[in-house]
Amino acid sequence: MTTTEHDLIVVGAGFAGMYTTIHAARRGLDILGIEAGDDVGGTWYWNRYPGARCDVESIDYSYSFDDELQREWRWRERYATQPEILEYLSHVADRFDVRRHYRFGERVAGATWDEAAHRWTVRTQNGLTASARWLAMATGGLSQPQLPDIPGRDSFTGEVLQTSAWPHRQVDFTGKRVAVIGTGSSGVQAIPLIAATAAEVVVYQRSANYSIPAFNHPIDDDEWDRQQQNLRRRRELSWNGSAGSPWTSHPVPFDEATLAEREAVFEESWRRGGVLFAKAFQGLTVEPRINDAAREFFERKLAERVPDPHVRAALTPTDHPLGTKRICTDSSYYETFTLPHVRLVNLREDPLVAVDPTGIRTATGLREHDAIVYATGFDAMTGALTAMDIRGRDDRSLRDEWQGFPVTYLGIGLPGFPNLLVLNGPGSPSVLSNMALTSEQQGEYALRLIDHCRAEGLTSAEARADAATAWTEHSLELADRTLFGSAPSWYTGSNIEGKARGFLPYIGGFRAYIDRADQVAAEGYRGFILSTR
Ligand code: NA7
């Protein structure tokens, strides 16, 4: 098979890949996009489970780069569903003619740096090979699903489903006895909808999570008009905020607020919905006393939602401070456990032993099921890249290097891997921020680096090892000052056996990150080795 030659290969057609492709094409670069799915969408292409929804408001979780696009796309709900987001991304793809650049249904197997040519050669599992000077990895932070290695897992004879690889058809649970393993955001979103039609739902919970109601609603015309009038300001706040959204913490510090004020602030933040609750007071995920007050508030709310003290106790998180694992954003999750056909198995008390041909065996016995839904998460932030065989200078293997903690410069550059630009990589704000905007920022940053090199006649840009080490240490130090490190979560890699532990995203805030990254660029890409072949 012949190897095609390009300026830039973009892997992935989610928010970041599409942004990069659109803007690379505008610059006149010859681009090849490679995408494992059969169409655009990234996360939203794969995660088609019932109830799948973004936990960032739709008005914010959309591209900001084109005013007309912002005006013409009318979001239907405060928090968009997966089909609506996929429809949006498909619309963007049509509007900017994105698909013509992509080869779909092609999963990258590996990529090799050619030091003599200063080019990458990329191979897909189907045997497609292509070469380019630049390689942008827009492969997503939550795109490498993890299916736990439970004894007997593959012996089950009923239907097996995975939230992150959901079939492209309506799955009918009517009259079925369904097991759900996993109670992160995916499980929490899917369980109420599965319970709406299933005859029986058994939820196998290893760790209870904090889940806060979304207070989702359809956006009526009045609200839409208000949002549109306010959009410029809203975007400004988002681009200058810590998490790519317009919301900020209460201006009065927790310690200066009276008990009544604290209660009112928690209530208001609660009503704002979902993950935004963690923003109630500045320092909520830093200071144990603020976190405890938020937790107590949460527990009182939980008591209203789940009257049965035994079930409630099992649903109460005990192993992490509030907000240090991603808060789930739900619609009627806890209320689902008040239904007579829904049961919770607390795996901490009744451990999972094996999957049998007919069901799931725990220490107390076998429960029979017609279907098992795995909502068991991802090898987050690094998994998509370590799944590929990426070979940098001197045959350095990215997979081997990331056996240890991933050392990156700004999340984008990797020492030893020239011209490999990781978008939303470990060491960038990524999942802690609104990924629609981080994707724009990351894509633009990568393209400006390419512009710079082209303008200067340079053919290679590689992060310096000392710059990457300093950045990664800085990122880890910031995380150490918070409560995040004490939580076993995918943010720290602790959900994957054998994965190096450490806080993966950059927690210093979206704006602070942009300022640091822009400063690097303004100083001629300080920390990158720029060279000519
Ligand atoms: P998460 O948040 O990683 O949740 C995965 C869930 O699966 C979590 O409850 C895990 O329990 C559970 N799990 C994983 N392995 C097992 C085994 N072996 N046995 C029992 N339970 C298990 O993934 P999601 O897809 O829900 O959400 C990911 C992100 O997507 C989310 O944060 C949003 O940002 C969007 P554990 O907590 O590890 O004890």
Side-chain angles (χ1 to χ4, degrees):
M1 196 176 270
T2 53
T3 301
T4 54
E5 305 266 335
H6 310 274
D7 296 321
L8 168 68
I9 294 175
V10 177
V11 183
F15 268 96
M18 283 177 56
Y19 178 91
T20 307
T21 299
I22 293 166
H23 291 82
R26 285 181 177 178
R27 285 163 159 87
L29 296 181
D30 177 333
I31 318 139
L32 173 69
I34 302 180
E35 164 58 54
D38 286 331
D39 199 358
V40 298
T43 291
W44 305 104
Y45 174 87
W46 299 102
N47 288 267
R48 296 171 186 242
Y49 60 85
R53 214 180 259 287
C54 188
D55 59 5
V56 177
E57 288 168 89
S58 49
I59 190 75
D60 300 318
Y61 192 72
S62 46
Y63 288 118
S64 73
F65 70 83
D66 188 288
D67 281 345
E68 246 175 67
L69 172 66
Q70 297 198 92
R71 273 196 301 274
E72 76 195 7
W73 185 264
R74 164 73 158 88
W75 292 103
R76 298 191 285 270
E77 292 182 67
R78 181 176 179 220
Y79 292 99
T81 59
Q82 172 272 330
E84 194 179 3
I85 301 171
L86 193 57
E87 221 180 286
Y88 168 75
L89 290 172
S90 180
H91 168 75
V92 174
D94 289 343
R95 199 180 193 287
F96 297 100
D97 204 4
V98 170
R99 290 186 183 88
R100 79 187 158 98
H101 300 291
Y102 274 89
R103 293 288 301 265
F104 292 101
E106 293 283 352
R107 188 174 285 280
V108 170
T112 308
W113 172 249
D114 178 343
E115 178 66 15
H118 278 189
R119 294 181 73 82
W120 282 97
T121 302
V122 177
R123 304 172 307 283
T124 69
Q125 291 177 355
N126 293 336
L128 176 84
T129 64
S131 134
R133 170 129 303 142
W134 303 94
L135 176 56
M137 290 299 195
T139 42
L142 294 161
S143 51
Q144 187 65 26
Q146 88 121 350
L147 201 52
D149 212 2
I150 301 169
R153 189 190 70 201
D154 300 332
S155 69
F156 184 65
T157 52
E159 190 168 13
V160 177
L161 296 147
Q162 198 174 356
T163 47
S164 50
W166 202 260
H168 293 202
R169 61 176 163 84
Q170 193 74 24
V171 177
D172 186 8
F173 290 112
T174 311
K176 293 199 174 140
R177 298 164 303 168
V178 184
V180 181
I181 304 179
T183 52
S185 294
S186 304
V188 162
Q189 289 183 335
I191 287 161
L193 276 126
I194 295 172
T197 55
E200 180 190 74
V201 178
V202 180
V203 176
Y204 292 87
Q205 173 195 274
R206 188 165 67 183
S207 315
N209 261 320
Y210 290 95
S211 187
I212 291 175
F215 295 100
N216 185 40
H217 56 253
I219 299 174
D220 64 20
D221 288 345
D222 284 350
E223 185 177 354
W224 181 251
D225 289 346
R226 276 198 309 279
Q227 280 188 350
Q228 286 298 300
Q229 279 160 20
N230 218 359
L231 190 57
R232 193 171 293 277
R233 175 79 187 129
R234 191 169 177 130
R235 289 298 200 186
E236 221 174 84
L237 290 169
S238 300
W239 277 102
N240 287 300
S242 63
S245 85
W247 302 104
T248 49
S249 299
H250 188 63
V252 178
F254 177 82
D255 290 335
E256 290 169 26
T258 62
L259 281 180
E261 277 167 339
R262 289 177 189 172
E263 188 71 8
V265 170
F266 281 135
E267 184 63 38
E268 192 192 325
S269 302
W270 185 270
R271 302 225 150 255
R272 210 167 272 166
V275 291
L276 294 171
F277 183 67
K279 277 189 177 290
F281 282 104
Q282 189 82 37
L284 193 149
T285 48
V286 176
E287 299 293 343
R289 67 183 186 291
I290 308 179
N291 200 277
D292 279 344
R295 179 183 50 74
E296 281 162 21
F297 184 89
F298 169 89
E299 287 178 3
R300 274 186 276 134
K301 289 285 187 189
L302 187 62
E304 289 167 18
R305 299 179 74 183
V306 185
D308 182 316
H310 184 69
V311 179
R312 188 166 70 241
L315 286 168
T316 304
T318 53
D319 65 351
H320 65 284
L322 186 147
T324 57
K325 277 169 104 166
R326 192 165 182 103
I327 291 178
C328 303
T329 302
D330 75 88
S331 298
S332 308
Y333 174 62
Y334 292 120
E335 290 76 5
T336 304
F337 291 96
T338 63
L339 302 173
H341 68 296
V342 178
R343 274 184 301 136
L344 183 70
V345 176
N346 181 356
L347 298 176
R348 292 268 164 89
E349 284 175 1
D350 184 10
L352 207 159
V353 175
V355 173
D356 273 19
T358 58
I360 294 177
R361 192 174 291 284
T362 62
T364 58
L366 174 73
R367 289 171 190 81
E368 295 199 334
H369 304 295
D370 302 310
I372 299 178
V373 175
Y374 289 92
T376 45
F378 302 86
D379 182 352
M381 310 266 328
T382 58
L385 292 175
T386 54
M388 304 170 193
D389 183 17
I390 299 175
R391 302 277 166 168
R393 229 174 354 89
D394 307 322
D395 204 33
R396 284 165 76 162
S397 151
L398 183 134
R399 189 182 291 150
D400 290 350
E401 301 216 353
W402 284 14
Q403 278 290 320
F405 190 76
V407 176
T408 74
Y409 187 40
L410 299 167
I412 290 185
L414 313 183
F417 298 84
N419 295 12
L420 180 74
L421 302 166
V422 180
L423 309 186
N424 292 315
S428 79
S430 57
V431 291
L432 295 182
S433 192
N434 167 9
M435 293 281 283
L437 297 193
T438 65
S439 293
E440 292 189 345
Q441 187 273 336
Q442 295 275 286
E444 195 57 33
Y445 198 82
L447 290 171
R448 288 201 182 150
L449 173 58
I450 296 173
D451 291 342
H452 176 79
C453 290
R454 286 166 67 91
E456 302 290 321
L458 302 161
T459 52
S460 158
E462 177 184 349
R464 282 169 49 156
D466 58 347
T469 301
W471 176 257
T472 304
E473 280 172 359
H474 163 64
S475 181
L476 289 169
E477 266 165 31
L478 292 179
D480 275 350
R481 293 184 208 155
T482 72
L483 300 172
F484 277 86
S486 56
S489 76
W490 57 259
Y491 290 144
T492 61
S494 68
N495 64 326
I496 303 293
E497 230 181 281
K499 184 165 174 172
R501 300 286 186 268
F503 197 75
L504 289 158
Y506 177 74
I507 205 169
F510 186 41
R511 186 70 240 172
Y513 171 85
I514 296 174
D515 290 344
R516 301 277 298 240
D518 286 353
Q519 186 63 30
V520 164
E523 292 172 20
Y525 294 94
R526 176 179 42 83
F528 283 95
I529 305 159
L530 305 180
S531 62
T532 310
R533 185 163 59 91

